[in-house]
Amino acid sequence: MRAAPTILHLDMDAFYASAEQAAKPSLRGKPVVVGGLGTRGVVATASYEARRFGVHSAMPMAQARRLAPNAAYLVPRFALYRTVSDQVMELLGRLSPLVEPLSLDEAFVDLEAGGVADDSRSARAIGEQLRLVIRAVTGLSGSVGLAGSKMLAKIASEEAKPDGLLLIEPGTERELLAPMSVRILPGVGPATGDHLRRAGMTVVHDLVEAGEAELVRLLGRSHGAALHRMALGHDDRPVVAERDAKSVSVEDTFDVDLHDRVRVRTEVERLAGRCVGRLRGAGRSGRTVVLKVRRYDFSTLTRSETLRGPTDDPVVVREAAARLLEAVDTTGGVRLLGVGVTGLADFTQEDLFAQAADAREAEDARQAADARKAAEAERSGDDGPDAEEPPAGDQAGAPAPDGPGTGSVEPETRRWSAGHDVRHEVHGYGWVQGSGVGRVTVRFEEPGSAPGRVRTFRTDDPRLRPADPLPLVREPPDYSSWPASLPKSLSGAGVADEAESSP
């Protein structure tokens, strides 16, 4: 534990939903829900206006629609979120070489390592400056927690939400934690929380009173001892600049259960290709291929195969996933499929070229066998088992291969997803408000503009095309000298004065 609150935790407020409200002026101040829009989709983020109706992340989208039927429901736009996240992380990198990202919208920063803070006053001033600069650069708000440990800094940012700052002075940790729910502590999920509740422990003070021996008896030596230390406010974990990913995976949930075995295999191969794309994008390779199958009755099966060495070859991963699928009973239907790669490395072993060649030969043999079956079916007058099979991505609930209305998709097959960016030759830039029965409704507005007008077009209108997201702030102030000095457009009454009024 540090003697000064020089560990900072930043958490952007309702990140995805706030970004959508900033990009779409007509949605500001209104309930917005971002996530999968299918019947089996889940909420990724809900704006604070939507949370008042009880909507929260990880909630089934169908339940969210019942609670907030008049909210705006949008699909995620990760290209925009990653751009904004890069801007935020670049700002954090100016504060310290030790920045530990936890997700697109959350990170720890060691202010002491960056030499920008060494006591409570300087830490608070930097925290307030950071909030101001983030808002000026991205148009969004973030909450900041400052403490002498990572655990307490994260708790502080959560307590400061939304758009606030909370500094926990060293020495006050136990007093602050005592009345809080045990669920506030890392590692205490629903199951552990319920176990502690049955033992009469609901707040952190109860854990301190119970003592380490009792917690070890209830939870085991490792978990019990660690929980007792955290209840006392002790956490000596350092801020780690590089967090090594342990796996890369992708998965899809389908609105309608997949029953056709050929279709299931097609989806697994498609997911394997997406997984390898992410793997290569991260410059990694992996040794173990993992297949995840959730069946119609919600039972989830996981199968894995370890290769001779790390690979990033799509054929190798695809064939391994297909072999794993052969060992899974999909009778009754499949609602979710996932493919992942673990055992990551920064290289690919040379001997895997032979393995890839073997896999390609097996793939060629399979395709030849399929061709023979198709020829035999044609001679017998049968259309064959795959004649009516739609292309990958057309299944309800499955994403289109290249997203809605990309240039490689013919106009009549375009899929316009709610919230996606478009540009019309006459009316300019806008976003999809909804689509169906051959029509797409677009609201024409841009970040920073007044709420725009709504117009409806045919889904195959050649004048309407997909567009890239616009920046949330067109001309952000110059912050190249920050944190040595604050841009004049942000200084005003002074950071120190504002810091004194923070919670």
Side-chain angles (χ1 to χ4, degrees), residues 394-458:
D394 280 357
Q395 175 77 22
D402 298 311
T406 58
S408 61
V409 180
E410 293 301 319
E412 60 269 17
T413 63
R414 287 179 183 171
R415 295 174 58 190
W416 303 99
S417 297
H420 275 196
D421 305 276
V422 295
R423 183 176 296 278
H424 192 273
E425 292 179 5
V426 176
H427 304 291
Y429 181 90
W431 58 277
V432 176
Q433 191 161 294
S435 64
V437 294
R439 296 289 186 269
V440 55
T441 301
V442 178
R443 184 179 289 273
F444 291 97
E445 59 186 4
E446 301 180 9
S449 71
R453 297 186 62 181
V454 175
R455 297 181 183 274
T456 300
F457 309 91
R458 298 193 317 273

Short mmCIF file of all heavy atoms in Angstrom, two decimals, residues 394-458:
data_model
loop_
_atom_site.label_atom_id
_atom_site.label_comp_id
_atom_site.label_asym_id
_atom_site.label_seq_id
_atom_site.Cartn_x
_atom_site.Cartn_y
_atom_site.Cartn_z
N ASP A 394 -26.60 -15.37 -43.52
CA ASP A 394 -27.98 -15.03 -43.81
C ASP A 394 -28.94 -15.54 -42.76
O ASP A 394 -30.08 -15.12 -42.69
CB ASP A 394 -28.41 -15.59 -45.17
CG ASP A 394 -27.92 -14.72 -46.31
OD1 ASP A 394 -27.31 -13.68 -46.00
OD2 ASP A 394 -28.14 -15.07 -47.48
N GLN A 395 -28.49 -16.49 -41.94
CA GLN A 395 -29.36 -17.00 -40.88
C GLN A 395 -29.74 -15.87 -39.95
O GLN A 395 -28.93 -15.04 -39.59
CB GLN A 395 -28.61 -18.08 -40.09
CG GLN A 395 -29.36 -18.62 -38.89
CD GLN A 395 -30.43 -19.58 -39.31
OE1 GLN A 395 -30.37 -20.15 -40.38
NE2 GLN A 395 -31.43 -19.75 -38.48
N ALA A 396 -31.01 -15.83 -39.54
CA ALA A 396 -31.44 -14.77 -38.64
C ALA A 396 -30.58 -14.80 -37.39
O ALA A 396 -30.40 -15.82 -36.76
CB ALA A 396 -32.92 -14.98 -38.27
N GLY A 397 -30.09 -13.66 -37.03
CA GLY A 397 -29.25 -13.55 -35.85
C GLY A 397 -27.78 -13.68 -36.13
O GLY A 397 -26.96 -13.37 -35.31
N ALA A 398 -27.40 -14.17 -37.30
CA ALA A 398 -25.99 -14.27 -37.65
C ALA A 398 -25.59 -13.06 -38.46
O ALA A 398 -26.32 -12.61 -39.33
CB ALA A 398 -25.73 -15.54 -38.47
N PRO A 399 -24.41 -12.47 -38.18
CA PRO A 399 -24.02 -11.25 -38.88
C PRO A 399 -23.68 -11.52 -40.33
O PRO A 399 -23.19 -12.59 -40.68
CB PRO A 399 -22.76 -10.81 -38.10
CG PRO A 399 -22.24 -12.06 -37.51
CD PRO A 399 -23.42 -12.93 -37.22
N ALA A 400 -23.94 -10.54 -41.18
CA ALA A 400 -23.53 -10.65 -42.58
C ALA A 400 -22.02 -10.66 -42.64
O ALA A 400 -21.35 -10.02 -41.84
CB ALA A 400 -24.09 -9.48 -43.38
N PRO A 401 -21.43 -11.37 -43.60
CA PRO A 401 -19.98 -11.51 -43.63
C PRO A 401 -19.22 -10.20 -43.65
O PRO A 401 -18.19 -10.08 -43.03
CB PRO A 401 -19.74 -12.32 -44.92
CG PRO A 401 -21.04 -13.01 -45.19
CD PRO A 401 -22.10 -12.13 -44.65
N ASP A 402 -19.71 -9.21 -44.37
CA ASP A 402 -18.98 -7.95 -44.51
C ASP A 402 -19.71 -6.78 -43.90
O ASP A 402 -19.46 -5.64 -44.23
CB ASP A 402 -18.71 -7.66 -46.00
CG ASP A 402 -17.85 -8.72 -46.63
OD1 ASP A 402 -16.82 -9.04 -46.04
OD2 ASP A 402 -18.23 -9.22 -47.69
N GLY A 403 -20.67 -7.05 -43.00
CA GLY A 403 -21.42 -5.96 -42.41
C GLY A 403 -22.51 -5.49 -43.33
O GLY A 403 -22.63 -5.93 -44.47
N PRO A 404 -23.37 -4.57 -42.86
CA PRO A 404 -24.52 -4.15 -43.63
C PRO A 404 -24.14 -3.29 -44.81
O PRO A 404 -23.50 -2.27 -44.67
CB PRO A 404 -25.35 -3.37 -42.61
CG PRO A 404 -24.34 -2.86 -41.64
CD PRO A 404 -23.27 -3.91 -41.58
N GLY A 405 -24.52 -3.72 -46.01
CA GLY A 405 -24.41 -2.86 -47.18
C GLY A 405 -23.02 -2.49 -47.58
O GLY A 405 -22.79 -1.39 -48.04
N THR A 406 -22.03 -3.36 -47.38
CA THR A 406 -20.69 -3.01 -47.82
C THR A 406 -20.63 -3.02 -49.33
O THR A 406 -21.49 -3.54 -50.01
CB THR A 406 -19.67 -4.01 -47.26
OG1 THR A 406 -20.04 -5.31 -47.71
CG2 THR A 406 -19.63 -3.98 -45.76
N GLY A 407 -19.55 -2.46 -49.85
CA GLY A 407 -19.45 -2.32 -51.29
C GLY A 407 -19.47 -3.64 -52.02
O GLY A 407 -19.81 -3.69 -53.19
N SER A 408 -19.09 -4.75 -51.35
CA SER A 408 -19.05 -6.04 -52.02
C SER A 408 -20.41 -6.72 -52.04
O SER A 408 -20.54 -7.80 -52.58
CB SER A 408 -18.05 -6.95 -51.31
OG SER A 408 -18.45 -7.17 -49.97
N VAL A 409 -21.43 -6.11 -51.43
CA VAL A 409 -22.75 -6.73 -51.36
C VAL A 409 -23.67 -6.04 -52.35
O VAL A 409 -23.72 -4.81 -52.43
CB VAL A 409 -23.33 -6.60 -49.93
CG1 VAL A 409 -24.69 -7.24 -49.85
CG2 VAL A 409 -22.38 -7.23 -48.93
N GLU A 410 -24.39 -6.80 -53.14
CA GLU A 410 -25.31 -6.22 -54.10
C GLU A 410 -26.43 -5.47 -53.38
O GLU A 410 -26.84 -5.86 -52.29
CB GLU A 410 -25.90 -7.32 -54.97
CG GLU A 410 -24.87 -7.99 -55.87
CD GLU A 410 -24.19 -6.99 -56.80
OE1 GLU A 410 -24.89 -6.10 -57.33
OE2 GLU A 410 -22.97 -7.08 -56.98
N PRO A 411 -26.98 -4.38 -53.97
CA PRO A 411 -27.98 -3.57 -53.30
C PRO A 411 -29.17 -4.37 -52.78
O PRO A 411 -29.65 -4.12 -51.69
CB PRO A 411 -28.42 -2.57 -54.38
CG PRO A 411 -27.22 -2.47 -55.28
CD PRO A 411 -26.61 -3.84 -55.28
N GLU A 412 -29.64 -5.37 -53.56
CA GLU A 412 -30.84 -6.07 -53.12
C GLU A 412 -30.58 -6.95 -51.91
O GLU A 412 -31.52 -7.44 -51.29
CB GLU A 412 -31.39 -6.92 -54.27
CG GLU A 412 -30.43 -7.99 -54.80
CD GLU A 412 -29.59 -7.45 -55.94
OE1 GLU A 412 -29.52 -6.22 -56.09
OE2 GLU A 412 -29.02 -8.25 -56.69
N THR A 413 -29.31 -7.22 -51.54
CA THR A 413 -29.02 -8.05 -50.38
C THR A 413 -28.51 -7.23 -49.19
O THR A 413 -28.06 -7.79 -48.22
CB THR A 413 -27.97 -9.11 -50.74
OG1 THR A 413 -26.74 -8.46 -51.09
CG2 THR A 413 -28.44 -9.98 -51.88
N ARG A 414 -28.58 -5.92 -49.29
CA ARG A 414 -28.09 -5.08 -48.20
C ARG A 414 -28.90 -5.30 -46.92
O ARG A 414 -30.09 -5.52 -46.96
CB ARG A 414 -28.19 -3.60 -48.57
CG ARG A 414 -27.18 -3.14 -49.59
CD ARG A 414 -27.41 -1.67 -49.87
NE ARG A 414 -26.52 -1.17 -50.88
CZ ARG A 414 -26.65 0.04 -51.42
NH1 ARG A 414 -27.61 0.84 -51.03
NH2 ARG A 414 -25.81 0.45 -52.35
N ARG A 415 -28.18 -5.23 -45.80
CA ARG A 415 -28.84 -5.28 -44.50
C ARG A 415 -28.44 -4.03 -43.74
O ARG A 415 -27.27 -3.84 -43.42
CB ARG A 415 -28.42 -6.55 -43.75
CG ARG A 415 -28.88 -7.83 -44.42
CD ARG A 415 -28.33 -9.05 -43.71
NE ARG A 415 -28.73 -9.07 -42.31
CZ ARG A 415 -28.23 -9.92 -41.42
NH1 ARG A 415 -27.31 -10.78 -41.78
NH2 ARG A 415 -28.64 -9.90 -40.18
N TRP A 416 -29.40 -3.18 -43.46
CA TRP A 416 -29.13 -1.91 -42.80
C TRP A 416 -29.42 -2.07 -41.30
O TRP A 416 -30.57 -2.17 -40.91
CB TRP A 416 -30.00 -0.80 -43.40
CG TRP A 416 -29.81 -0.63 -44.88
CD1 TRP A 416 -30.62 -1.11 -45.86
CD2 TRP A 416 -28.76 0.08 -45.52
NE1 TRP A 416 -30.13 -0.75 -47.10
CE2 TRP A 416 -28.99 -0.01 -46.92
CE3 TRP A 416 -27.65 0.79 -45.08
CZ2 TRP A 416 -28.16 0.57 -47.85
CZ3 TRP A 416 -26.81 1.38 -46.02
CH2 TRP A 416 -27.07 1.27 -47.38
N SER A 417 -28.37 -2.08 -40.49
CA SER A 417 -28.54 -2.28 -39.05
C SER A 417 -28.75 -0.95 -38.35
O SER A 417 -28.13 0.06 -38.68
CB SER A 417 -27.30 -2.97 -38.47
OG SER A 417 -27.14 -4.26 -39.04
N ALA A 418 -29.62 -0.96 -37.34
CA ALA A 418 -29.96 0.27 -36.62
C ALA A 418 -28.72 0.87 -35.96
O ALA A 418 -28.02 0.21 -35.20
CB ALA A 418 -31.02 -0.03 -35.56
N GLY A 419 -28.46 2.14 -36.27
CA GLY A 419 -27.33 2.85 -35.70
C GLY A 419 -26.14 3.00 -36.62
O GLY A 419 -25.26 3.81 -36.36
N HIS A 420 -26.11 2.23 -37.72
CA HIS A 420 -24.96 2.29 -38.61
C HIS A 420 -24.95 3.57 -39.45
O HIS A 420 -25.99 4.16 -39.73
CB HIS A 420 -24.93 1.07 -39.52
CG HIS A 420 -24.26 -0.11 -38.87
ND1 HIS A 420 -23.84 -1.21 -39.57
CD2 HIS A 420 -23.94 -0.35 -37.57
CE1 HIS A 420 -23.28 -2.07 -38.74
NE2 HIS A 420 -23.33 -1.58 -37.53
N ASP A 421 -23.75 3.96 -39.86
CA ASP A 421 -23.54 5.21 -40.58
C ASP A 421 -23.82 5.04 -42.06
O ASP A 421 -23.45 4.03 -42.67
CB ASP A 421 -22.10 5.68 -40.39
CG ASP A 421 -21.72 5.80 -38.93
OD1 ASP A 421 -22.02 6.85 -38.34
OD2 ASP A 421 -21.14 4.84 -38.39
N VAL A 422 -24.45 6.06 -42.66
CA VAL A 422 -24.71 6.06 -44.09
C VAL A 422 -24.48 7.46 -44.65
O VAL A 422 -24.41 8.45 -43.91
CB VAL A 422 -26.17 5.63 -44.41
CG1 VAL A 422 -26.41 4.18 -44.00
CG2 VAL A 422 -27.17 6.54 -43.72
N ARG A 423 -24.40 7.53 -45.97
CA ARG A 423 -24.30 8.83 -46.64
C ARG A 423 -25.18 8.77 -47.89
O ARG A 423 -25.11 7.81 -48.66
CB ARG A 423 -22.87 9.17 -47.01
CG ARG A 423 -22.72 10.56 -47.65
CD ARG A 423 -21.27 10.89 -47.92
NE ARG A 423 -20.50 11.00 -46.70
CZ ARG A 423 -20.47 12.09 -45.92
NH1 ARG A 423 -21.19 13.15 -46.27
NH2 ARG A 423 -19.75 12.10 -44.83
N HIS A 424 -25.99 9.82 -48.07
CA HIS A 424 -26.88 9.91 -49.22
C HIS A 424 -26.34 10.99 -50.16
O HIS A 424 -25.86 12.04 -49.71
CB HIS A 424 -28.30 10.26 -48.77
CG HIS A 424 -29.33 10.11 -49.83
ND1 HIS A 424 -29.63 11.12 -50.72
CD2 HIS A 424 -30.14 9.07 -50.14
CE1 HIS A 424 -30.58 10.71 -51.54
NE2 HIS A 424 -30.91 9.47 -51.22
N GLU A 425 -26.41 10.72 -51.45
CA GLU A 425 -25.86 11.65 -52.43
C GLU A 425 -26.49 13.03 -52.35
O GLU A 425 -25.84 14.04 -52.66
CB GLU A 425 -26.04 11.08 -53.85
CG GLU A 425 -25.20 9.85 -54.13
CD GLU A 425 -25.42 9.32 -55.54
OE1 GLU A 425 -26.16 10.00 -56.30
OE2 GLU A 425 -24.87 8.26 -55.86
N VAL A 426 -27.73 13.09 -51.94
CA VAL A 426 -28.45 14.37 -51.88
C VAL A 426 -28.48 14.94 -50.46
O VAL A 426 -28.20 16.13 -50.24
CB VAL A 426 -29.88 14.22 -52.42
CG1 VAL A 426 -30.66 15.54 -52.27
CG2 VAL A 426 -29.86 13.75 -53.87
N HIS A 427 -28.81 14.09 -49.50
CA HIS A 427 -29.07 14.58 -48.14
C HIS A 427 -27.85 14.54 -47.22
O HIS A 427 -27.89 15.09 -46.13
CB HIS A 427 -30.21 13.77 -47.52
CG HIS A 427 -31.46 13.80 -48.32
ND1 HIS A 427 -32.24 14.93 -48.46
CD2 HIS A 427 -32.07 12.83 -49.07
CE1 HIS A 427 -33.28 14.66 -49.24
NE2 HIS A 427 -33.20 13.39 -49.63
N GLY A 428 -26.78 13.89 -47.64
CA GLY A 428 -25.56 13.90 -46.87
C GLY A 428 -25.46 12.76 -45.86
O GLY A 428 -25.97 11.67 -46.07
N TYR A 429 -24.79 13.06 -44.73
CA TYR A 429 -24.46 12.04 -43.74
C TYR A 429 -25.63 11.80 -42.79
O TYR A 429 -26.34 12.72 -42.40
CB TYR A 429 -23.23 12.48 -42.95
CG TYR A 429 -22.78 11.50 -41.91
CD1 TYR A 429 -21.86 10.51 -42.21
CD2 TYR A 429 -23.28 11.55 -40.61
CE1 TYR A 429 -21.44 9.59 -41.26
CE2 TYR A 429 -22.88 10.65 -39.64
CZ TYR A 429 -21.96 9.66 -39.98
OH TYR A 429 -21.57 8.76 -39.02
N GLY A 430 -25.82 10.53 -42.39
CA GLY A 430 -26.86 10.20 -41.43
C GLY A 430 -26.63 8.82 -40.82
O GLY A 430 -25.57 8.23 -40.99
N TRP A 431 -27.64 8.33 -40.12
CA TRP A 431 -27.54 7.00 -39.51
C TRP A 431 -28.87 6.28 -39.62
O TRP A 431 -29.93 6.89 -39.69
CB TRP A 431 -27.09 7.10 -38.05
CG TRP A 431 -27.96 7.93 -37.16
CD1 TRP A 431 -27.93 9.28 -37.01
CD2 TRP A 431 -28.99 7.46 -36.27
NE1 TRP A 431 -28.88 9.70 -36.10
CE2 TRP A 431 -29.53 8.60 -35.62
CE3 TRP A 431 -29.49 6.20 -35.95
CZ2 TRP A 431 -30.56 8.50 -34.67
CZ3 TRP A 431 -30.51 6.11 -35.01
CH2 TRP A 431 -31.03 7.25 -34.38
N VAL A 432 -28.78 4.95 -39.65
CA VAL A 432 -29.98 4.13 -39.84
C VAL A 432 -30.79 4.11 -38.56
O VAL A 432 -30.31 3.70 -37.50
CB VAL A 432 -29.60 2.70 -40.24
CG1 VAL A 432 -30.84 1.82 -40.33
CG2 VAL A 432 -28.84 2.69 -41.55
N GLN A 433 -32.04 4.55 -38.67
CA GLN A 433 -32.93 4.53 -37.51
C GLN A 433 -33.73 3.23 -37.45
O GLN A 433 -34.14 2.80 -36.37
CB GLN A 433 -33.87 5.73 -37.56
CG GLN A 433 -34.65 5.97 -36.28
CD GLN A 433 -35.19 7.38 -36.20
OE1 GLN A 433 -34.42 8.34 -36.11
NE2 GLN A 433 -36.49 7.52 -36.25
N GLY A 434 -33.93 2.61 -38.61
CA GLY A 434 -34.64 1.34 -38.65
C GLY A 434 -34.82 0.88 -40.08
O GLY A 434 -34.65 1.66 -41.03
N SER A 435 -35.14 -0.41 -40.26
CA SER A 435 -35.36 -0.93 -41.60
C SER A 435 -36.30 -2.12 -41.55
O SER A 435 -36.44 -2.78 -40.50
CB SER A 435 -34.03 -1.33 -42.27
OG SER A 435 -33.42 -2.39 -41.55
N GLY A 436 -36.93 -2.41 -42.69
CA GLY A 436 -37.84 -3.53 -42.78
C GLY A 436 -38.76 -3.38 -43.97
O GLY A 436 -38.95 -2.26 -44.50
N VAL A 437 -39.34 -4.50 -44.44
CA VAL A 437 -40.26 -4.56 -45.57
C VAL A 437 -39.76 -3.74 -46.76
O VAL A 437 -40.52 -3.01 -47.39
CB VAL A 437 -41.69 -4.14 -45.18
CG1 VAL A 437 -42.29 -5.12 -44.20
CG2 VAL A 437 -41.73 -2.72 -44.60
N GLY A 438 -38.45 -3.86 -47.03
CA GLY A 438 -37.89 -3.20 -48.20
C GLY A 438 -37.63 -1.72 -48.04
O GLY A 438 -37.33 -1.03 -49.03
N ARG A 439 -37.74 -1.18 -46.84
CA ARG A 439 -37.52 0.25 -46.60
C ARG A 439 -36.48 0.44 -45.50
O ARG A 439 -36.34 -0.39 -44.62
CB ARG A 439 -38.83 0.95 -46.19
CG ARG A 439 -39.90 0.95 -47.28
CD ARG A 439 -39.52 1.90 -48.41
NE ARG A 439 -40.58 2.03 -49.40
CZ ARG A 439 -40.69 1.27 -50.46
NH1 ARG A 439 -39.80 0.28 -50.66
NH2 ARG A 439 -41.67 1.45 -51.34
N VAL A 440 -35.76 1.55 -45.57
CA VAL A 440 -34.80 1.92 -44.54
C VAL A 440 -35.05 3.38 -44.18
O VAL A 440 -35.18 4.24 -45.06
CB VAL A 440 -33.35 1.69 -45.00
CG1 VAL A 440 -33.05 2.41 -46.31
CG2 VAL A 440 -32.37 2.13 -43.91
N THR A 441 -35.13 3.64 -42.87
CA THR A 441 -35.35 5.00 -42.37
C THR A 441 -34.04 5.57 -41.85
O THR A 441 -33.34 4.92 -41.07
CB THR A 441 -36.40 4.98 -41.25
OG1 THR A 441 -37.62 4.45 -41.75
CG2 THR A 441 -36.64 6.39 -40.73
N VAL A 442 -33.70 6.77 -42.31
CA VAL A 442 -32.43 7.40 -41.97
C VAL A 442 -32.68 8.76 -41.35
O VAL A 442 -33.51 9.53 -41.82
CB VAL A 442 -31.54 7.56 -43.23
CG1 VAL A 442 -30.24 8.26 -42.89
CG2 VAL A 442 -31.28 6.20 -43.88
N ARG A 443 -31.95 9.03 -40.26
CA ARG A 443 -31.98 10.38 -39.68
C ARG A 443 -30.68 11.08 -40.08
O ARG A 443 -29.59 10.58 -39.82
CB ARG A 443 -32.11 10.34 -38.16
CG ARG A 443 -32.24 11.74 -37.54
CD ARG A 443 -32.40 11.67 -36.05
NE ARG A 443 -33.68 11.16 -35.63
CZ ARG A 443 -34.78 11.89 -35.47
NH1 ARG A 443 -34.74 13.20 -35.73
NH2 ARG A 443 -35.90 11.34 -35.06
N PHE A 444 -30.82 12.23 -40.70
CA PHE A 444 -29.65 12.95 -41.22
C PHE A 444 -29.19 13.99 -40.21
O PHE A 444 -29.79 15.06 -40.06
CB PHE A 444 -29.99 13.59 -42.57
CG PHE A 444 -30.18 12.57 -43.66
CD1 PHE A 444 -31.45 12.14 -44.00
CD2 PHE A 444 -29.09 12.03 -44.31
CE1 PHE A 444 -31.64 11.19 -45.00
CE2 PHE A 444 -29.26 11.07 -45.30
CZ PHE A 444 -30.54 10.65 -45.65
N GLU A 445 -28.11 13.66 -39.52
CA GLU A 445 -27.49 14.55 -38.54
C GLU A 445 -26.05 14.10 -38.31
O GLU A 445 -25.68 12.97 -38.66
CB GLU A 445 -28.27 14.53 -37.22
CG GLU A 445 -28.37 13.15 -36.58
CD GLU A 445 -29.28 13.13 -35.37
OE1 GLU A 445 -29.89 14.17 -35.06
OE2 GLU A 445 -29.36 12.08 -34.70
N GLU A 446 -25.25 14.99 -37.74
CA GLU A 446 -23.85 14.70 -37.49
C GLU A 446 -23.50 15.10 -36.07
O GLU A 446 -24.23 15.88 -35.44
CB GLU A 446 -22.96 15.48 -38.46
CG GLU A 446 -23.22 15.18 -39.93
CD GLU A 446 -22.31 15.99 -40.84
OE1 GLU A 446 -21.38 16.63 -40.30
OE2 GLU A 446 -22.52 15.98 -42.07
N PRO A 447 -22.38 14.58 -35.53
CA PRO A 447 -21.95 15.02 -34.19
C PRO A 447 -21.82 16.54 -34.14
O PRO A 447 -21.20 17.14 -35.01
CB PRO A 447 -20.59 14.33 -34.02
CG PRO A 447 -20.65 13.14 -34.92
CD PRO A 447 -21.49 13.55 -36.09
N GLY A 448 -22.40 17.14 -33.16
CA GLY A 448 -22.33 18.58 -33.00
C GLY A 448 -23.41 19.36 -33.71
O GLY A 448 -23.53 20.57 -33.51
N SER A 449 -24.21 18.71 -34.54
CA SER A 449 -25.27 19.42 -35.25
C SER A 449 -26.55 19.42 -34.42
O SER A 449 -26.63 18.80 -33.36
CB SER A 449 -25.54 18.75 -36.61
OG SER A 449 -26.19 17.49 -36.42
N ALA A 450 -27.56 20.11 -34.93
CA ALA A 450 -28.88 20.04 -34.31
C ALA A 450 -29.53 18.72 -34.69
O ALA A 450 -29.13 18.08 -35.66
CB ALA A 450 -29.73 21.22 -34.79
N PRO A 451 -30.52 18.25 -33.91
CA PRO A 451 -31.23 17.02 -34.31
C PRO A 451 -31.73 17.11 -35.74
O PRO A 451 -32.27 18.13 -36.17
CB PRO A 451 -32.38 16.96 -33.30
CG PRO A 451 -31.84 17.67 -32.09
CD PRO A 451 -31.00 18.78 -32.63
N GLY A 452 -31.51 16.06 -36.53
CA GLY A 452 -31.80 16.11 -37.96
C GLY A 452 -33.15 15.56 -38.35
O GLY A 452 -33.91 15.02 -37.53
N ARG A 453 -33.45 15.66 -39.64
CA ARG A 453 -34.71 15.19 -40.18
C ARG A 453 -34.64 13.72 -40.54
O ARG A 453 -33.56 13.17 -40.77
CB ARG A 453 -35.08 16.00 -41.43
CG ARG A 453 -35.30 17.48 -41.17
CD ARG A 453 -35.80 18.17 -42.42
NE ARG A 453 -37.10 17.62 -42.85
CZ ARG A 453 -37.76 18.03 -43.93
NH1 ARG A 453 -37.23 18.96 -44.71
NH2 ARG A 453 -38.91 17.49 -44.25
N VAL A 454 -35.79 13.08 -40.58
CA VAL A 454 -35.88 11.65 -40.89
C VAL A 454 -36.48 11.48 -42.28
O VAL A 454 -37.47 12.13 -42.63
CB VAL A 454 -36.76 10.92 -39.84
CG1 VAL A 454 -36.96 9.46 -40.23
CG2 VAL A 454 -36.13 11.03 -38.46
N ARG A 455 -35.88 10.60 -43.07
CA ARG A 455 -36.39 10.28 -44.40
C ARG A 455 -36.33 8.77 -44.60
O ARG A 455 -35.51 8.07 -44.00
CB ARG A 455 -35.57 10.99 -45.49
CG ARG A 455 -35.63 12.52 -45.42
CD ARG A 455 -34.82 13.16 -46.53
NE ARG A 455 -34.82 14.59 -46.42
CZ ARG A 455 -35.76 15.41 -46.91
NH1 ARG A 455 -36.79 14.89 -47.57
NH2 ARG A 455 -35.68 16.73 -46.76
N THR A 456 -37.20 8.27 -45.47
CA THR A 456 -37.28 6.84 -45.74
C THR A 456 -36.97 6.56 -47.21
O THR A 456 -37.41 7.30 -48.10
CB THR A 456 -38.68 6.30 -45.38
OG1 THR A 456 -38.92 6.53 -43.99
CG2 THR A 456 -38.78 4.81 -45.65
N PHE A 457 -36.21 5.49 -47.45
CA PHE A 457 -35.80 5.12 -48.80
C PHE A 457 -36.00 3.62 -49.00
O PHE A 457 -36.18 2.86 -48.04
CB PHE A 457 -34.31 5.44 -49.02
CG PHE A 457 -33.91 6.83 -48.65
CD1 PHE A 457 -33.47 7.12 -47.37
CD2 PHE A 457 -33.99 7.87 -49.57
CE1 PHE A 457 -33.09 8.40 -47.01
CE2 PHE A 457 -33.62 9.16 -49.23
CZ PHE A 457 -33.18 9.43 -47.94
N ARG A 458 -35.95 3.19 -50.25
CA ARG A 458 -35.90 1.77 -50.54
C ARG A 458 -34.54 1.22 -50.08
O ARG A 458 -33.53 1.93 -50.16
CB ARG A 458 -36.06 1.49 -52.04
CG ARG A 458 -37.39 1.93 -52.61
CD ARG A 458 -37.57 1.31 -54.01
NE ARG A 458 -36.37 1.38 -54.81
CZ ARG A 458 -36.02 2.40 -55.58
NH1 ARG A 458 -36.81 3.48 -55.63
NH2 ARG A 458 -34.90 2.37 -56.29
#
